[in-house]
Every structure is written in C-alpha cells, then in structure tokens.
Amino acid sequence: MDPYKHRPSSAFNSPFWTTNSGTPVWNNDSSLTVGIRGPVLLEDYHLVEKLANFERERIPERVVHARGASAKGFFEVTHDISHLTCADFLRAPGVQTPVIVRFSTVIHERGSPETLRDPRGFAVKFYTREGNFDLVGNNFPVFFIRDAIKFPDVIHAFKPNPKSHIQEYWRIFDFLSYHPESLHTFAFFFDDIGIPQDYRHMEGFGVHTFTLINKAGKTQYVKFHWKPTCGVKSLLEDEAIRVGGSNHSHATKDLYDSIAAGNYPEWKLFIQIMDPVHEDRFDFDPLDVTKTWPEDILPLQPVGRLVLNKNIDNFFAENEQLAFSPSMIVPGIYFSNDKMLQTRIFAYADTQRHRIGPNYLQLPVNAPKCAHHNNHYDGYMNFMHRDEEVDYFPSRFDSVRHAEKFPIPNDILSGRRVKCVIEKENNFKQTGERYRSFAPDRQERFINRWIVALSDPRVTNEILSIWISYLSQADTSLGQKIASRLSVRPNI
C-alpha cells in the first residue's frame, strides 16, 4: 500500500464510517454507555472526536468582507496590451487563465442579509503560470479614507456600536466629519448602486492605482475596471426590504443558480493608463484612493473578459478559507505609492495568517497552480510532503537557483520622514460632478438617503453643520436642499 496515495479528499471516501485516523466505526448512532441507561464512557473516542471536531468547525470570520460568495471560471485576454506589461497571463489575445472570484459585503457579519446598504467586495484570484495575482477591489471606485492608519477607525465607525451592537449613523458621521475626503465615496454609498440587485449586476474596481511594467522597463500607472455584460442593476429601498425579507442570501443564491443553469456571469476588463511623468497635470493626486481618473482624458481601454462557469465544490474550503491579498502580484504588475495600497500589502496577508494560519497558502484554493519552491518550512498545519535534506540557500547540494530577472519600477525616491496629509486634497469637486450627472429622480433619491441618515437623533448640530458645509462645497444646490429639509442654515 502506498501511504501517500490517499491524500485528503472526498474522492477517496470509504464506503463505511471511520474516525479521522481511518479506524472503522461500526456504530455512529449511539454513545458507549455502561448498560442501556448507564453513564457515557469517556473511552468512546469516536464520540469525543466527533464532538471535538464539531466544536471547532468555525474559523474566525473576516473582520471585513465576512459575508460572501465565490465562483470559479476563467479570464481571457481579448486585446493586446503586451506593449504595456510583460505579465505572462496578459501576453496575447486568446490566452486563458483560471480564476476564482469572491463577492462580499464589507461591514456586516457572515450571516447578515445581502440587501444592506454597504460597499461590495469584488476580489479576483488569477492562477497564472508565474504565480497567483490577486486583484482585490470593490464595487465603488473610491474609498472613504486615503491613509490606512485610519482604516481601523473607519471600520469601527461603520461597525455596530460596541455597547449596543447596533449600527448607527451618528458614529459614522462623527468620525468622518474629520475626513472630508470621504464625501466622494458617500456619493456612491448613498446612490442607487449602494444596494446592488445581486453580484452579477454590479461593477468592480481595483480601486487602487497599480503599475504596469513592460519588458523594456517602461512603467505606466493603471486602474482596473470590471464591467458586467448584463448591465448594472440595483435595489431601491422598498425592493431591498421585500427581497431581503424573503431570502437573506438572495445574491448568493442568484450567483449559484445562474451558473448551475448555464447562464454564466461575465465581465469585461478595462484599464485606464497614465504615464507617471504626467501625474502633476491634474488638480488631484492620481494616487489618492478617494479620487477617480477622468475617463474623457484617460479613456477606458479593453483588455479581456471574465467568465464564471463553475460553482465551488465546498463553501468552507473555497469561500471561507479562500484568502486574498493585494501583495500577491506577478512580474509585469507592481504597486504604486498609494498610501492605502502600501499598507494593505502587509495587512491583508497578515490577517489571513491570523485567521487561517501561517500556512494558508498551502490550502488548495489559495495555492499557486504552477511549480513553486522556497525554504518556508514547518509551522501550524503544514501538510506539504518534503524530503529535501537542504533547507537553506545557497547550497552546492541543491541546484535550485534564482528566477530569471524581471523589471520592477526603478524610479529614484528621496524625501524627509514626515507624517502629513497629501498636498492636492481637492475633496469636493468630483462629488459635485457625480451628483450633477444624476437624473433628477436619482438626485432626489440621493438627497432623501442623506436626510434619513443625518436625521439620526444623536447627530449633533455641530456634526450636521459640518456635513451641510461639505455637501454645499460639492454642489451649492445640494447643500441648500438638504439643509432646508433638515431646517439647518448652510454655513459654508
């Protein structure tokens, strides 16, 4: 018998019950007792193992993006961008790469309704020939803050009150009143798209600015956009109440049922490109995660298509244990100096090591599908079979070598150590432009959502005046309308 033949997999199930160690179980209905009515014996190891395993079935849920659903499929290049990047999976039209995608809500718990007003996560793991690339984004192109030192604070503000465990707008508006840059994200949050109809009908964005590098070492800033081929659809408040009241997992069910029926969700991938030498031409900082890039100046360029054509086999293994991190990049794609991105590079991988374990990248759903090798050994739940005698580098007894060199950005960095806000804040212009692009009925719904939120009885006059000021600086009529309905005098 080959002891390594039967790797852990349901494909090797025996036709009868066993313990985890493979010992046959001849009775899985009754505990071992002294007599028919006697006390239960601790020596009933199967009983003890069954209960102990059940008590440990749950791993810590994600602090954010706890509620989610996943599906598998492929990404196919449709347009040549090899002049922009040397990334192997983008090398030519027709190239396909297997992917797994996880959609999620951001703030609420794992079992929360999928009809709550909340940003949605849109994370794609590309299993490329040069390792995994994780594009970890949202359905909004911007975020509430621009410096990740405030990330724990903004999440705490959006999370339920730690005393009552109730989400309250006064906490959100109190904290973000110190961060006027958040107004732009509220222009998406309180818009109709704040509650997507389901995961198939929502856009996705890489949010951050990344860098593309071609073979010659030329760099370009890049933003990623996912556009659903079936269009963007949202739920209005009464629809969300009706849908959520009948099925709190409606978006997960819709995704699963659509794929099972052969109605495969599809998105087109577009990019915006900016030459780094041109970043000072704009009245905002292109690396500021609270800003979008104007599409009339930096148009969307098509790259490929994402198709989800296979449901996951097991929710826990391929959704709960599925782990993403913006640190997972491949040759030809690099980071930028976006402050939020720079910190997420560390934080996302670190939270997975806490949540799942230091060897989370050995789990099949997270492991690369290409050959890989390093000397990262041992640790909790390490199940990789290794028989090497050399676990250091370099060695004359091991032929492993460095990989072929690939280009990375080589710009020269200089400056003093500082803790400060960026120079080009420009916190209100893009919010006003977005509001004025809405049709009148959409503007009215947007205003009404602000009215409801700002009517929280614990929103003080001071906080209310601050937000009226911010809204007025974005668009005078917007601020005036909200102030009038709340009986507040605008103070710009």
Side-chain angles (χ1 to χ4, degrees):
M1 183 182 76
D2 181 356
Y4 297 106
K5 179 179 179 181
H6 298 292
R7 301 284 182 174
S9 168
S10 59
F12 301 122
N13 281 352
S14 73
F16 51 81
W17 288 109
T18 73
T19 66
N20 284 350
S21 60
T23 303
V25 173
W26 66 270
N27 187 327
N28 190 34
D29 294 320
S30 303
S31 304
L32 183 65
T33 61
V34 179
I36 296 176
R37 301 180 66 239
V40 174
L41 294 175
L42 189 61
E43 67 187 63
D44 188 348
Y45 176 74
H46 171 57
L47 167 67
V48 173
E49 179 184 79
K50 185 175 182 178
L51 292 177
N53 191 82
F54 173 73
E55 293 155 4
R56 293 165 175 81
E57 284 183 355
R58 296 293 170 262
I59 59 176
E61 76 172 33
R62 295 165 170 87
V63 177
V64 288
H65 298 277
R67 168 59 125 145
S70 305
K72 295 181 278 191
F74 65 88
F75 173 77
E76 181 180 20
V77 179
T78 57
H79 293 73
D80 184 11
I81 61 166
S82 59
H83 60 293
L84 297 173
T85 176
C86 59
D88 177 73
F89 80 102
L90 298 173
R91 63 187 179 274
V95 173
Q96 289 191 357
T97 301
V99 301
I100 187 167
V101 179
R102 186 174 189 270
F103 306 101
S104 56
T105 61
V106 174
I107 294 299
H108 299 279
E109 297 90 342
R110 185 159 47 197
S112 58
E114 293 177 305
T115 50
L116 298 177
R117 186 166 299 278
D118 196 15
R120 268 40 174 193
F122 193 124
V124 184
K125 186 183 294 290
F126 300 79
Y127 298 107
T128 87
R129 302 194 305 183
E130 294 182 313
N132 292 351
F133 169 48
D134 288 357
L135 184 54
V136 191
N138 287 333
N139 71 321
F140 299 166
V142 290
F143 195 61
F144 293 97
I145 54 172
R146 61 169 65 97
D147 192 322
I149 198 170
K150 305 306 296 182
F151 186 77
D153 300 291
V154 71
I155 297 303
H156 284 170
F158 271 90
K159 287 282 190 180
N161 185 320
K163 182 177 181 178
S164 65
H165 201 66
I166 298 172
Q167 188 185 38
E168 296 167 312
Y169 273 117
W170 69 265
R171 290 164 37 82
I172 297 170
F173 288 132
D174 174 35
F175 170 69
L176 289 176
S177 67
Y178 294 94
H179 296 278
E181 68 270 23
S182 65
L183 189 66
H184 194 197
T185 306
F186 276 120
F188 294 85
F189 184 81
F190 284 134
D191 183 21
D192 293 348
I193 63 172
I195 309 179
Q197 176 177 293
D198 48 59
Y199 296 131
R200 293 184 299 123
H201 291 89
M202 72 178 194
E203 294 178 300
F205 302 89
V207 184
H208 299 290
T209 300
F210 289 85
T211 306
L212 296 181
I213 314 104
N214 64 16
K215 291 181 180 179
K218 171 63 177 174
T219 61
Q220 301 278 356
Y221 287 149
V222 62
K223 279 187 176 287
F224 297 98
H225 301 248
W226 297 106
K227 303 291 184 182
T229 57
C230 58
V232 175
K233 295 182 180 179
S234 306
L235 295 176
L236 299 183
E237 282 77 0
D238 58 338
E239 295 172 316
I241 292 171
R242 176 178 53 80
V243 172
S246 61
N247 183 359
H248 76 293
S249 298
H250 83 283
T252 296
K253 186 177 188 303
D254 174 83
L255 179 67
Y256 191 93
D257 289 350
S258 295
I259 295 173
N263 182 22
Y264 302 139
E266 182 174 338
W267 288 261
K268 302 294 186 183
L269 177 63
F270 296 85
I271 57 174
Q272 285 178 288
I273 295 296
M274 179 190 298
D275 192 322
V277 302
H278 298 156
E279 61 179 304
D280 291 331
R281 295 182 177 181
F282 299 90
D283 60 1
F284 63 92
D285 188 333
L287 305 186
D288 180 358
V289 75
T290 71
K291 302 294 185 295
T292 57
W293 291 358
E295 294 181 12
D296 57 335
I297 300 174
L298 303 167
L300 297 179
Q301 302 180 35
V303 176
R305 66 188 188 113
L306 168 69
V307 179
L308 299 181
N309 60 2
K310 188 178 189 303
N311 280 312
I312 56 176
D313 298 313
N314 180 270
F315 187 82
F316 181 80
E318 296 180 301
N319 184 76
E320 290 305 296
Q321 291 193 133
L322 175 58
F324 294 90
S325 172
S327 58
M328 305 298 171
I329 57 172
V330 292
I333 301 175
Y334 207 73
F335 315 113
S336 75
N337 291 333
D338 173 345
K339 288 185 178 183
M340 281 291 292
L341 174 59
Q342 287 282 316
T343 315
R344 291 179 77 206
I345 293 168
F346 159 76
Y348 271 58
D350 190 56
T351 195
Q352 307 300 354
R353 296 185 188 102
H354 160 71
R355 192 175 69 86
I356 307 174
N359 289 304
Y360 76 95
L361 289 174
Q362 290 185 16
L363 294 170
V365 72
N366 299 321
K369 307 312 175 192
C370 60
H372 55 287
H373 177 81
N374 55 50
N375 286 332
H376 300 168
Y377 269 78
D378 305 337
Y380 290 109
M381 300 306 294
N382 187 316
F383 54 85
M384 180 181 290
H385 174 68
R386 308 190 74 155
D387 58 3
E388 303 101 325
E389 293 185 280
V390 176
D391 56 0
Y392 49 85
F393 179 84
S395 169
R396 292 177 178 83
F397 296 92
D398 189 345
S399 61
V400 68
R401 65 187 189 280
H402 287 123
E404 183 179 342
K405 186 176 181 179
F406 54 85
I408 62 173
N410 59 1
D411 46 317
I412 298 174
L413 303 176
S414 64
R416 297 179 178 180
R417 294 185 181 94
V418 294
K419 276 179 169 278
C420 63
V421 177
I422 62 173
E423 294 178 352
K424 295 181 181 179
E425 290 193 73
N426 201 347
N427 293 321
F428 307 111
K429 179 181 177 181
Q430 292 191 358
T431 302
E433 291 172 343
R434 177 169 175 79
Y435 170 73
R436 288 187 292 274
S437 73
F438 294 164
D441 59 332
R442 190 169 176 179
Q443 288 184 351
E444 184 65 18
R445 291 192 295 271
F446 180 70
I447 291 172
N448 286 337
R449 293 176 190 123
W450 274 102
I451 300 297
V452 171
L454 288 172
S455 296
D456 185 310
R458 294 186 66 179
V459 173
T460 65
N461 288 333
E462 179 187 10
I463 294 173
L464 192 56
S465 296
I466 290 172
W467 282 102
I468 295 297
S469 171
Y470 291 165
L471 290 161
S472 298
Q473 290 178 73
D475 183 90
T476 304
S477 66
L478 172 62
Q480 289 175 341
K481 289 177 181 177
I482 294 178
S484 174
R485 298 187 194 184
L486 291 171
S487 300
V488 176
R489 182 177 179 181
N491 183 23
I492 302 177

